[in-house]
Amino acid sequence: MAKVLLSLHGFHSSPGSLKAQQMDSYLAEHYPEITFLCPQLPCLPKQMWEVIESVFAQYSGAEIAVMGSSLGGYLAAKAGEQYGVKVVLINPAVFPYRLLEQYAGTQIHPYTQESYQINENYLQQLTALDTKSQSNPEKCWLLLQKQDEVLNYREALNKYQRCKITCEEGGDHSFIGFERFLPAIIAFLF
């Protein structure tokens, strides 16, 4: 059976993110049989989810796992719940619809240059993708660093308390030293 790792980047990020590049290189060297996908996610949450659904449709016969960081972690949690697949959540957003309220108005995506609105409709689309908890906690691994300057790590600790958890002192929102976990992440996901 084919194996696919879907990587979901964070808000205003891209497939060029360091974690995606590190995972892509690691898989190419050690697990060339695993297909690595890190699509550029659209700006609107409903369209982000459509991209994820299209990957699951395209690779319906494959063993798919998902890793996501920040907003991508929020989306990965939804994918884990919807499709019953294993997920790794890296400093995931828990309440992005609250956090992004402060960015209301016109936004320009720094990588795609797309202009879009963060408004009530955007926040409703984001809220619709929420998961109350993980019904398969054994399929979820939470990676947190306490000095995340963007998100309160305690929110994720609380929401994913039944999952496998690695919570480190220090660090930051990017999850410093992510490359240390590459072998363990692949062992967990596949």
Side-chain angles (χ1 to χ4, degrees), residues 53-69:
E53 287 179 322
S54 73
V55 168
F56 277 88
Q58 183 180 347
Y59 294 93
S60 61
E63 179 184 355
I64 302 176
V66 185
M67 76 174 209
S69 176

Side-chain angles (χ1 to χ4, degrees), residues 6-20 38-45 48 52 66-76 88-93 96 99-100 109-112 116 122 126 148 150-151 173-174:
L6 173 59
S7 177
L8 302 172
H9 63 72
F11 177 72
H12 280 186
S13 187
S14 78
S17 75
L18 182 60
K19 289 182 288 296
C38 186
Q40 176 65 60
L41 294 174
C43 294
L44 300 179
M48 292 175 192
I52 294 165
V66 185
M67 76 174 209
S69 176
S70 191
L71 182 58
Y74 177 78
L75 297 168
V88 170
L89 312 179
I90 306 139
N91 285 337
L99 182 71
L100 294 178
H109 193 288
Y111 293 95
T112 65
Y116 69 101
Y122 178 97
L126 208 48
D148 184 333
V150 177
L151 301 170
H173 187 60
S174 72

